[in-house]
Amino acid sequence: MQIIESLEEMREVCRKARRKGRSIGLVPTMGAFHEGHLSLMRESRKRDEVVIVSLFVNPIQFGPGEDYGTYPRDMEGDTAKASAIGVDCLFTPSADAIYPEGYCTCVLVEGLSDKLCGASRPGHFRGVTTIVSKLFHITMPSRAYFGQKDAQQAILIGHMIADLNWDIELVVLPTVREKDGLAMSSRNAYLNKQQRQEAAILFRSLCWAAEEIRGGERDAQRIRAEMRRMISSMKTARIDYVTIVDPGSLEEVSRVEGKVLLALAVWFQEARLIDNLMAEPEKG
Ligand code: AMP
C-alpha cells in the first residue's frame, strides 16, 4: 500500500489509473479505523480496481470548542488495517496543503445543512461538503463510499453529487454495530465503562421506535417522547436531539405516513454520539 501525502502525487496516481481505464473507489475518513470504516474499504476492494482511502481530520468541520485537538489519531494502526484489506493508497494530506494560506472557497448544500446535526453544529456540514468536494476533485473517483451511520452526511453528499453534476456513484453502506447495538464510532473511545453500557440505549430506542411504526403507530410526537424518556433514564446521557424526519427533506414529521428517518444525537459527557434508523409502517 502506498501512503501518499502530496496532493500532486495523489492526482498523478489517479490520472494514471484513469488513463488505463481503471475504476477508482474513494473512501473518505478521519481515521481511527474500526469495522465501520473497514466495511467501506472492503466493499470498494470488491468493486473497484484502485482503492483510495483518505485519512484527514478536517479542521473546518469542527466548531470552536469541539474535539478537533483530541480526536483519536492512530496512524500506525490505521496503516496496518487498511493494508490488510488491500487498499492501494492511503491519502494523508496535511491541513496546510488542503487549506493553504488565503484559502477562501467553500461548498455548501443549502437548507439541508442546517437541519439535525447542522442545527447544533453550525458550519459542520459546510466543512464536510467542502472537504469531500476537494477530495473528489483531487481523485475524481468512479465511486465514493459513505456509511449510513452518518445519514445526514450521506444525504447531503448525494445532493452535492447531483447538483454539481459529478460523475460519481455514491455507495452508502449499512451501519456496523457492536454486539449490543451501539454504532461503531471513533468517538466511542471517549466513553467510560458506565457511559459505554448506557450508550446501548440509543440503538434500543431506535429499534423500539421502528417496531412501533411497523406496528401501526402514526403519532410521531408520542414516539419521540417515549424515545426521549428511554434515553433520559440513563444517568450519563444528555439529549441533543431526537427526531423523526422525512428522509428527503429532513423536515420533522408529526404523523408517520411512509418511510421516515429516526435520528438522534446524544452527549455522554464529552462524547457526542449519533445514530439513526429508517422505519416504515408495515404494508397491507
Ligand atoms: P469518519 O472517519 O467518522 O468521518 O467516517 C468515515 C466514513 O465511515 C463515513 O462515511 C462514515 O459514515 C463511515 N462510518 C463511520 N462509522 C460507521 C459505522 N459504524 N458503520 C458504517 N460506516 C461508518
Side-chain angles (χ1 to χ4, degrees), residues 28-31 34 36-37 39-40 71 145-150 153 173-177 183-186:
T29 80
M30 298 206 300
H34 49 66
H37 298 115
S39 71
L40 306 182
Y71 194 82
Y145 295 81
F146 291 86
Q148 175 65 24
K149 153 84 182 357
D150 299 272
Q153 170 173 282
L173 295 176
T175 303
V176 178
R177 299 179 179 281
M184 289 195 183
S185 161
S186 308

Side-chain angles (χ1 to χ4, degrees), residues 7-25:
L7 274 57
E8 199 34 58
E9 195 181 338
M10 189 69 259
R11 260 192 210 290
E12 188 51 29
V13 165
C14 294
R15 251 186 234 123
K16 276 192 186 138
R18 274 194 305 276
R19 244 182 261 132
K20 289 182 183 155
R22 294 195 175 143
S23 65
I24 298 174

